Amino acid sequence: MSGQIEPFEKARIEAARGCDAGLFVHNLGGNTMSVAIVFAPEEPQALALPILPICGPGFQNALGALAPPEVAMHLEWGGGIRVNGGLRGRLRVAASTDDPEIIPD
């Protein structure tokens, strides 16, 4: 992704500008993939953050539908994504506030 903004950072910039929820930013390379999704919860952050671990099985199912059956994918508690035992990516989250009681902008 030389010379390009990483999708996670691009999504953060667009969210700060007020983009619509559901913005999907991606970069597909020859053998890499980076994806970010902007959510706009209508709940306080403490209730909204469980969306992160819910995204894991969704990604796992999508990869499982495309990859050969012998490909093993595992999710780590810290957000890591392992494919065939090797760390290949991560799930992470950002919010406009650190206060768990505030509904993010």
Side-chain angles (χ1 to χ4, degrees):
M1 290 190 314
S2 178
Q4 294 183 16
I5 298 175
E6 178 190 6
F8 186 76
E9 293 305 319
K10 176 70 173 166
R12 290 180 69 184
I13 291 167
E14 294 302 320
R17 289 182 180 163
C19 71
D20 291 335
L23 176 68
F24 185 85
V25 184
H26 68 283
N27 185 340
L28 303 176
N31 58 359
T32 63
M33 174 177 66
S34 297
V35 178
I37 303 170
V38 174
F39 294 98
E42 296 178 358
E43 300 289 336
Q45 184 172 309
L47 297 176
L49 284 180
I51 194 67
L52 181 65
I54 292 169
C55 289
F59 179 73
Q60 211 170 20
N61 289 334
L63 182 65
L66 299 173
E70 61 272 7
V71 171
M73 183 184 162
H74 299 93
L75 302 171
E76 296 180 338
W77 284 108
I81 299 172
R82 291 194 175 268
V83 179
N84 290 337
L87 187 60
R88 300 292 181 240
R90 65 183 169 172
L91 298 169
R92 58 184 171 158
V93 66
S96 60
T97 179
D98 289 336
D99 188 335
E101 300 303 319
I102 293 180
I103 298 174
D105 296 337

